[in-house]
Amino acid sequence: MIGLGRFGRSLALELMEDGQVDVLGIDNDPGLVDELAGSLTHAVVADSTKEEALRQLSVHEFDRAVVGIGTNLEASILTVSTLLQFGIRNVWAKAISDSHARILTQLGAHKVIRPEHEMGLRVAHLVRGRMLDYIEFDDGYAMVKTMPPSPIVGRSLGQAKLRSTYKVTVVAHHRPGAGFTYATPDTVLEADDVIIVSGQIRDVEAFSALS
């Protein structure tokens, strides 16, 4: 994890909490490194724009790397470029603007993320309608957690013909007092159920807006 600001710190600590991976944290700010020294596998003060500094830390031997540098665009770009030159198979990078994201993508970063932008989109969707949660994927696809609209309550999903009528699929449902279970054509939804719906963004939005 290169860059231990708010985003990098949160991600590194979450990865450590999972207990499945070792996490090397790198930042040029000694204060940030000291704060995480006892919480990560290793936390080191280093200039990630220097190839030799990263080699000394054996960064080139890692399978995955995340660059969480945001405000210093030059450092972000140089660091991602070096990691890609190392041949690291999975390089994720944080971007703070469209132009920053475009440059990182053109460099070859395997995944470019904009946490603030993506959270803003997610919250906007939740505020506008009846959605309880919202996850957007590539190519205009999304999954939402919502309540079943009245037109499909009391009917089996097969009878409701969701694919042909609304262009969405109910993937799972949750009844109060029970966990989520996979939905089938025989599933009959009740008004207080919670459902997971997948489809194109415009379609799941329209479906969730039904009363």
Side-chain angles (χ1 to χ4, degrees):
M1 181 70 236
I2 301 177
L4 299 175
R6 285 176 295 180
F7 169 75
R9 175 191 179 95
S10 297
L11 178 55
L13 291 175
E14 185 63 28
L15 289 170
M16 288 298 298
E17 185 71 21
D18 183 58
Q20 301 296 314
V21 295
D22 293 328
V23 179
L24 167 64
I26 301 172
D27 202 287
N28 62 1
D29 185 334
L32 294 176
V33 172
D34 287 344
E35 289 178 11
L36 293 173
S39 302
L40 306 183
T41 310
H42 301 288
V44 181
V45 178
D47 182 352
S48 64
T49 66
K50 305 298 184 183
E51 178 179 341
E52 185 56 31
L54 296 181
R55 286 193 178 277
Q56 289 177 358
L57 296 171
S58 299
V59 170
H60 59 288
E61 298 178 1
F62 281 70
D63 293 325
R64 299 178 181 87
V66 180
V67 179
I69 302 170
T71 53
N72 189 334
L73 268 61
E74 182 180 0
S76 166
I77 293 166
L78 288 173
T79 300
V80 169
S81 178
T82 300
L83 295 176
L84 293 170
Q85 288 176 17
F86 285 163
I88 294 177
R89 292 183 298 176
N90 202 337
V91 176
W92 289 47
K94 172 187 173 180
I96 59 171
S97 67
D98 288 337
S99 58
H100 187 194
R102 187 163 54 252
I103 292 171
L104 294 175
T105 300
Q106 291 171 347
L107 279 175
H110 302 104
K111 179 69 175 180
V112 176
I113 49 178
R114 295 183 58 191
E116 294 86 355
H117 175 73
E118 291 167 9
M119 180 56 71
L121 290 176
R122 184 179 182 187
V123 172
H125 280 92
L126 300 182
V127 168
R128 281 202 298 260
R130 301 170 63 248
M131 299 182 193
L132 304 175
D133 207 348
Y134 174 91
I135 301 174
E136 184 174 323
F137 301 93
D138 294 334
D139 301 323
Y141 191 83
M143 295 186 73
V144 303
K145 181 165 71 172
T146 187
M147 307 292 286
S150 57
I152 68 170
V153 171
R155 304 171 63 193
S156 71
L157 294 179
Q159 293 173 329
K161 301 184 185 304
L162 297 183
R163 287 296 304 162
S164 59
T165 305
Y166 303 106
K167 300 180 182 178
V168 300
T169 300
V170 174
V171 179
H173 72 110
H174 169 273
R175 194 146 288 161
F180 273 102
T181 58
Y182 289 112
T184 71
D186 296 325
T187 298
V188 177
L189 298 176
E190 298 179 3
D192 56 354
D193 285 352
V194 174
I195 56 177
I196 303 295
V197 181
S198 64
Q200 294 295 311
I201 294 173
R202 62 181 181 276
D203 296 325
V204 295
E205 287 179 338
F207 180 78
S208 297
L210 294 172
S211 59

